[in-house]
Amino acid sequence: MDDLGLSLREDDLNMTASSRYSATTAQLIEALQEARARTLELVSDLSGEQLMGPRLRIVNPMRWEIGHAAWFQEFWILRHLGGLAPILAQGDGLYDSARVAHDSRWDLPLPSTAETFAYMNQVLDRVCDTSDRRARDPINDYDESYFFHLALFHEQMHAEAITYTRQTLCYPRPRIGLRQTGDRRPPAEAISGDAYIPGGRFILGDSSGPVFVFDNEQQPHEVEVAPFSISKTAVTNRELSNFVEDGGYQRREFWSDEGWRWRRNAAADHPMYWQRESNGRWLRRDFDEWVALEDRVAAIHVNWYEADAYCRWAGRRLPTEAEWEMAASCEPSSDGGSITNNKRRYPWGNNSPTPANANLDWRAMGCIEVDALPEGDSAFGCRQMIGNAWEWSSTAFDAYPGFMPGPYKEYSAPWFGDHKVLRGGCWATRSSLIRNAYRNYYTPDRRDVWAGFRTCSV
Ligand SMILES: [Fe+2]
């Protein structure tokens, strides 16, 4: 257990005879309570007006979103698994994201803020009362641990999304009751250049044993990867500003056809939260404040098109998701000419993330220098592959061979094809959620995500 009070690190916990997974129900309940405390902190300082906010394609009204997180927990743990009746008569019509169109969520007869909080408490209290619940899914062979993990990770993802929303809507930085590493740790010696990865056959997907794995990572399968070189760090603000100042946004030759269409329609001349002062220096908007752009901090809030154009300008390319996962999780053989069959759950090994090896859990409340946290290096010397900023890959999000949808059928399958895969998590991602094999996905036009990228030699 780490000092978050978050006990959900499966490889630190003992297996129980009744569970395919290794966290106990008590530990999962503790994790659900911890996640809920964070969700409430993310919204508790906001006015009723702010909790609804403007109707934008890339956000949800937060009053809807927090009720939806509770509804999801009720649906899977109390109703599906437990066979209990719904708490709210209209709950499905308000909160089922598969049924309630996104742009209608501002118009729903939502419970008041106080009623929403009361509903959230009621659901969690019942989830914590394990006395009258079935322990196995009556339809499929999923046990209660599966659904506790599902509800937990779902709420953690929404907490990260709410953090994005606060940036999008220019709200103040959230106040999270975790110990913050406000000093952001002393800068490590600057690193640069590429790590050479010898390539070879490896298993793409999660093959690390009895942990909860979303359906899109299941069916681990062997792939062949040609040797490649990948940057040890993510692209920095300084590097991205060199692209901007070299006319990168105006020069057609760096952009794909689709990317150029996006750029023109969006009238994008630089990263979206950047602003140039009269003296030529760049500022960036950090929640509701403007701060000087930090040279060595990872560049974020760039979409896939922007990352792709930067790569072309730099004579580089984005890694495929297989390359990214190999660089993060494989180890060189003793002769250095190939990889071993050992696959790490995290770049540094199989132990839980800590503040010394990854910037997660809102601890730094923002991105840090790309050189920081050398203890988190991969076996090949790539830094911060977990945490700090999500990293775009060149790969379209699609099913692994043999894909079977999980009980929550809308998690992956509806998004196959037109999304791009991101890897690694950002500073607002939870340490219990993220692993090397975890696949995130967004459409290539999204700039609100805390996403940057690293590059490969062509
Ligand atoms: Fe959701």
Side-chain angles (χ1 to χ4, degrees):
M1 183 185 300
D2 69 17
D3 61 354
L4 304 184
L6 183 65
S7 56
L8 190 73
R9 264 300 299 130
E10 292 86 349
D11 60 349
D12 295 339
L13 306 174
N14 295 323
M15 284 289 286
T16 61
S18 62
S19 175
R20 289 164 58 200
Y21 312 102
S22 45
T24 65
T25 301
Q27 288 164 331
L28 286 163
I29 285 174
E30 187 184 344
L32 284 170
Q33 291 168 324
E34 192 276 345
R36 178 57 53 79
R38 304 286 86 79
T39 303
L40 293 174
E41 284 173 342
L42 284 165
V43 299
S44 58
D45 61 320
L46 299 177
S47 68
E49 190 179 345
Q50 286 175 312
L51 284 172
M52 291 308 288
R55 195 184 303 249
L56 295 180
R57 185 175 61 85
I58 57 171
V59 302
N60 280 303
M62 290 190 224
R63 200 167 103 216
W64 177 88
E65 192 161 10
I66 59 176
H68 160 76
W71 173 87
F72 188 94
Q73 190 178 82
E74 184 199 1
F75 182 84
W76 289 109
I77 297 178
L78 299 180
R79 293 168 56 187
H80 179 78
L81 185 65
L84 302 178
I87 292 172
L88 300 177
Q90 307 301 325
D92 294 1
L94 297 174
Y95 293 129
D96 183 348
S97 55
R99 291 169 45 176
V100 181
H102 177 264
D103 63 2
S104 73
R105 293 173 188 168
W106 284 262
D107 305 320
L108 298 166
L110 292 173
S112 69
T113 303
E115 289 166 344
T116 306
F117 289 155
Y119 169 63
M120 295 167 76
N121 281 339
Q122 198 177 355
V123 171
L124 188 55
D125 284 349
R126 285 205 198 169
V127 165
C128 296
D129 176 3
T130 58
S131 58
D132 62 348
R133 207 168 47 229
R134 284 194 294 257
R136 297 198 80 80
D137 181 342
I139 302 170
N140 302 297
D141 188 30
Y142 291 96
D143 66 10
E144 69 175 14
S145 177
Y146 183 92
F147 295 103
F148 276 80
H149 279 92
L150 181 64
L152 172 68
F153 293 151
H154 176 263
E155 183 148 351
Q156 291 180 337
M157 287 179 218
H158 276 286
E160 183 176 329
I162 289 171
T163 317
Y164 298 171
T165 301
R166 292 187 66 125
Q167 165 75 22
T168 300
L169 300 183
C170 206
Y171 291 175
R173 176 179 301 111
R175 290 191 288 269
I176 301 288
L178 300 170
R179 183 177 57 79
Q180 304 291 317
T181 48
D183 60 0
R184 298 189 170 197
R185 298 192 156 255
E189 196 175 322
I191 64 167
S192 60
D194 286 349
Y196 172 75
I197 317 291
R201 290 179 176 279
F202 93 117
I203 303 297
L204 184 63
D206 197 291
S207 54
S208 59
V211 296
F212 176 98
V213 174
F214 280 103
D215 54 9
N216 64 56
E217 288 172 57
Q218 291 173 2
Q219 319 300 337
H221 56 288
E222 191 173 83
V223 295
E224 176 83 36
V225 176
F228 64 100
S229 293
I230 187 169
S231 58
K232 291 178 184 169
T233 69
V235 169
T236 65
N237 284 328
R238 165 52 76 84
E239 291 168 327
L240 189 60
S241 71
N242 290 339
F243 167 66
V244 176
E245 288 167 10
D246 195 35
Y249 280 76
Q250 287 74 40
R251 292 168 64 180
R252 175 68 180 83
E253 66 266 30
F254 301 135
W255 297 77
S256 64
D257 292 347
E258 197 181 338
W260 187 250
R261 266 197 303 278
W262 168 81
R263 196 209 69 76
R264 289 181 60 165
N265 289 338
D269 291 325
H270 53 70
M272 74 178 300
Y273 293 128
W274 290 17
Q275 180 175 292
R276 195 161 200 169
E277 291 186 293
S278 55
N279 61 12
R281 288 197 307 223
W282 289 100
L283 302 176
R284 68 175 178 89
R285 182 164 71 71
D286 184 37
F287 293 95
D288 60 347
E289 293 179 324
W290 286 96
V291 299
L293 193 69
E294 312 93 330
D295 282 353
R296 291 298 295 172
V297 166
I300 50 166
H301 296 302
V302 285
N303 68 21
W304 189 92
Y305 300 128
E306 292 168 291
D308 179 59
Y310 171 93
C311 286
R312 221 167 269 124
W313 169 80
R316 307 278 292 177
R317 63 176 176 83
L318 289 174
T320 66
E321 70 168 322
E323 288 172 333
W324 193 99
E325 190 170 315
M326 179 178 267
S329 59
C330 291
E331 299 176 4
S333 62
S334 55
D335 65 5
S338 60
I339 58 165
T340 70
N341 288 324
N342 295 330
K343 198 173 165 196
R344 300 176 174 187
R345 190 176 298 173
Y346 307 102
W348 54 87
N350 293 318
N351 293 329
S352 311
T354 70
N357 55 30
N359 178 19
L360 295 162
D361 294 316
W362 301 281
R363 283 188 181 280
M365 203 49 81
C367 278
I368 60 174
E369 294 82 354
V370 297
D371 313 299
L373 310 182
E375 289 176 44
D377 284 2
S378 76
F380 290 101
C382 292
R383 191 156 297 174
Q384 291 179 12
M385 295 196 85
I386 293 291
N388 210 36
W390 287 102
E391 297 183 13
W392 290 105
S393 78
S394 62
T395 306
F397 180 55
D398 219 327
Y400 284 168
F403 171 79
M404 297 277 289
Y408 175 28
K409 294 183 173 54
E410 295 85 9
Y411 180 71
S412 303
W415 320 112
F416 288 148
D418 61 348
H419 288 50
K420 300 287 187 186
V421 172
L422 302 96
R423 295 298 195 102
C426 73
W427 58 266
T429 305
R430 300 312 308 268
S431 49
S432 49
L433 171 72
I434 195 69
R435 292 166 289 101
N436 284 336
Y438 182 89
R439 308 173 80 199
N440 196 0
Y441 41 94
Y442 279 101
T443 51
D445 60 333
R446 291 286 294 263
R447 306 173 96 188
D448 57 316
V449 180
W450 273 297
F453 57 105
R454 72 181 66 216
T455 64
C456 287
S457 63
V458 292

